[in-house]
Amino acid sequence: MTRRRFTVAAMLLATVVAAGCSRRAESPKGDPPSLNVTNWTDKTELYMEYPPLIAGQSARFAAHLTRLGDFKPLPAGRPNLELKPENGGAVTVLKGSEPSRPGAFRIEGVPPSAGRYRWALTIVAPGISDRHDLGVVTVFPDEASTGVASQPDDPTAIAYLKEQQWTNEFATERVREAELRTAVRVPAAIEPLPGGEAVVTAPAAGRFTASALPGVGSAVQTGQSLGRLEPRLSSNGDDRATLAAAVAEAESAADAARIDLTRAERLLAERAVPARRVEDARRALSVAEARLGAAQARLAQRDQTLRTGGGVAGGNAFVIRAPIAGRIAEVMATLGASYDEGAPLFKIVRTNRIQVRAQVPPSDVAAARGVGSIAFEIPGRPDPVALQPRRVRDAGVIDPTTRALPVQFEVDNPGGQLLVGQTGTAVLFKGERQRVPAVSKSAVLMEAGRPYVFVQVGGERFIRRPIEIAARDGDLIGIRAGIRPGDRVVTRGAYEVQLASAAKGLPAEGHVH
């Protein structure tokens, strides 16, 4: 009896162990692999996720549709999937429904019999009708024959979901070929034109006065009054009052000499005086007239000194005037202060027309002398300033310090957007053009001086791609290496894509369909 119980217990234990081993040997069934396809037309972008298609088994397609006009989700409409046998035959249509939320559409249906099909998604929505041709898809006869695993992810790819793209500022564009002007990029600085800079000095020793002292940055016109200089009284007789008195005294002496000469000539005619008396009177008149001329010249010279020194005399004070039109760059004058002759009072710089002084390598001198247009890039400013040179000058002498040829481009400066003394990069556009892949300048980012772009490789996948720049022309940047025509690059929202690269994988909730 005891032996029989032991035998039964042993059999039960063996059964339990075998069952446990059998359960451990069974591998749990995982979720079906997920496939996806991304397609662009001129109107919309389609990103669709779907399982491997098996004949006779219902399949669910999650379609995300984005308007390319504003990169926002398509808010309404009904999509349909069309499957046409590759060798011809009837078209199977799987109908979709209105979106569960803007941009997210669901299509559910049973695929046709096993085989290869050309498939397309069509969408009809208010204000838009579009068709996405998706190439060829295979419908398998059963699950065992699919042999399909989930599409492998590129480990360098950045996940940025449609929900994020629709919420944030975002846009992409297709890389296209364009003919861009070739250019030479050289260091440059902004300088005043020759004669476009003037220092106004005190024409004589005196005290500076003005009803209002002009400030730095004030715009002035040629001949505009900047103030007055009241000459100090001088012990050596060079003040205006003394000079005017000297002129009056010389005029009186000259008049007396003329009267004396007239009397002497009359007396000589009456033989009352000798001829020597007339000669002496004539010499006295000549001396008096010479002294009068000298006195008048000294007074006129004082009154006209500021015609070359920045003003004209008025009464016993000089009116200080601007010799050129421009803006006041420095104010050295102080109201009520006294200055010696030649002391600087103001510095004026012409800013409506300036020159770009570019340091051109000897190998590019011929191209620089024949440029048709230039642009000036300023550090920290996103857009270069386009300029049209009026005149190009150079001395034909290499600078011994930079080993480059200084070339001056005279250009207009409307609005004073370029500042005298500013440094940057001059882009000298040559005459020839080159055909290269091109993107908008907003697509190109910089890190440590190296340019890169974000390429969209799928609806929700992006790759950071370093590039080599071939040319810059206006809003376009030509690319020598890194991307090809047909690639799509991010032009808005690149910073958010960069932030998304810090996240590993998708958010836990994923998509909701």
Side-chain angles (χ1 to χ4, degrees):
M1 186 69 176
T2 303
R3 183 180 299 173
R4 185 180 301 170
R5 288 178 179 174
F6 177 81
T7 302
V8 172
M11 293 176 62
L12 289 174
L13 179 60
T15 302
V16 171
V17 171
C21 292
S22 175
R23 281 195 295 270
R24 285 196 298 270
E26 292 177 1
S27 58
K29 292 185 178 180
D31 294 333
S34 176
L35 307 176
N36 62 76
V37 61
T38 305
N39 185 259
W40 292 269
T41 67
D42 294 336
K43 301 176 183 178
T44 60
E45 174 199 310
L46 167 67
Y47 172 61
M48 185 169 66
E49 299 168 296
Y50 62 97
L53 304 185
I54 301 173
Q57 292 188 14
S58 179
R60 177 182 295 178
F61 302 81
H64 305 77
L65 284 162
T66 304
R67 296 186 306 239
L68 293 186
D70 56 5
F71 287 86
K72 295 303 179 184
L74 197 64
R78 287 181 178 272
N80 292 326
L81 268 178
E82 299 177 356
L83 292 93
K84 181 178 181 179
E86 194 174 24
N87 296 326
V91 177
T92 301
V93 178
L94 306 182
K95 296 185 177 297
S97 59
E98 290 286 339
S100 57
R101 65 183 187 282
F105 297 83
R106 179 183 298 176
I107 304 171
E108 192 166 356
V110 178
S113 59
R116 289 169 57 86
Y117 293 82
R118 301 199 67 83
W119 65 332
L121 182 140
T122 61
I123 179 70
V124 177
I128 192 169
S129 177
D130 205 2
R131 178 184 179 89
H132 290 267
D133 290 310
L134 305 178
V136 177
V137 66
T138 300
V139 178
F140 298 95
D142 51 48
E143 185 174 352
S145 62
T146 60
V148 178
S150 296
Q151 292 172 331
D153 279 339
D154 185 338
T156 64
I158 301 168
Y160 192 55
L161 300 184
K162 282 300 172 189
E163 288 77 4
Q164 295 170 291
Q165 298 174 29
W166 293 336
T167 303
N168 301 321
E169 282 293 319
F170 180 80
T172 65
E173 71 176 16
R174 187 183 299 274
V175 179
R176 62 191 185 279
E177 285 194 340
E179 289 190 352
L180 304 184
R181 295 174 294 177
T182 58
V184 178
R185 297 167 56 83
V186 295
I190 304 301
E191 297 179 348
L193 288 175
E197 189 175 25
V199 176
V200 181
T201 61
R207 187 172 68 93
F208 180 82
T209 63
S211 57
L213 185 66
V216 171
S218 300
V220 295
Q221 300 299 321
T222 303
Q224 180 177 329
S225 174
L226 304 177
R228 296 166 64 87
L229 192 75
E230 298 175 350
R232 63 171 69 106
L233 294 178
S234 175
S235 59
N236 59 9
D238 59 359
D239 60 279
R240 193 178 192 284
T242 302
L243 293 177
V247 170
E249 183 179 346
E251 288 177 344
S252 178
D255 290 341
R258 291 190 192 94
I259 294 173
D260 187 54
L261 175 60
T262 302
R263 183 186 308 113
E265 290 175 341
R266 179 171 53 79
L267 292 175
L268 178 62
E270 296 175 355
R271 298 181 180 275
V273 294
R276 179 182 293 275
R277 176 71 178 84
V278 175
E279 293 175 359
D280 291 342
R282 286 175 179 168
R283 282 195 295 270
L285 177 59
S286 297
V287 172
E289 288 179 342
R291 289 176 177 172
L292 174 60
Q296 290 174 335
R298 286 195 297 272
L299 181 60
Q301 182 181 21
R302 181 176 181 81
D303 287 347
Q304 296 177 6
T305 297
L306 291 185
R307 292 182 182 176
T308 58
V312 295
N316 199 36
F318 293 103
V319 179
I320 309 298
R321 298 189 182 276
I324 63 172
R327 301 178 69 179
I328 295 180
E330 294 183 46
V331 177
M332 288 76 80
T334 302
L335 292 177
S338 295
Y339 297 93
D340 293 330
E341 182 177 353
L345 302 177
F346 300 94
K347 181 179 180 180
I348 302 173
V349 177
R350 183 181 180 183
T351 58
N352 64 333
R353 186 176 296 174
I354 46 86
Q355 70 177 12
V356 179
R357 181 183 177 89
Q359 301 292 337
V360 180
S363 58
D364 294 316
V365 167
R369 287 172 172 169
V371 299
S373 61
I374 66 176
F376 191 74
E377 296 179 348
I378 303 171
R381 178 169 175 166
D383 300 324
V385 180
L387 303 169
Q388 194 68 32
R390 287 175 166 266
R391 188 178 303 170
V392 181
R393 296 186 297 269
D394 69 80
V397 178
I398 295 294
D399 187 314
T401 302
T402 63
R403 307 308 303 170
L405 177 67
V407 180
Q408 289 83 28
F409 299 90
E410 182 179 333
V411 297
D412 289 329
N413 186 26
Q417 54 185 335
L418 296 178
L419 308 177
V420 172
Q422 200 167 35
T423 59
T425 301
V427 183
L428 314 179
F429 291 105
K430 302 179 183 179
E432 63 266 19
R433 292 176 175 267
Q434 59 178 331
R435 190 169 186 83
V436 291
V439 298
S440 298
K441 61 184 178 183
S442 59
V444 179
L445 307 175
M446 301 291 291
E447 183 175 313
R450 298 179 179 179
Y452 66 94
V453 297
F454 283 110
V455 179
Q456 186 177 16
V457 295
E460 297 179 334
R461 290 293 184 271
F462 300 82
I463 291 180
R464 173 171 165 160
R465 190 83 54 79
I467 59 172
E468 184 179 343
I469 294 177
R472 299 173 185 263
D473 191 352
D475 291 334
L476 293 179
I477 295 181
I479 309 301
R480 181 177 291 112
I483 54 177
R484 299 174 298 177
D487 290 342
R488 292 196 75 88
V489 295
V490 177
T491 56
R492 287 204 314 267
Y495 179 69
E496 285 76 9
V497 176
Q498 179 73 47
L499 291 179
S501 67
K504 301 298 183 182
L506 298 176
E509 66 271 13
H511 288 299
V512 179
H513 297 291

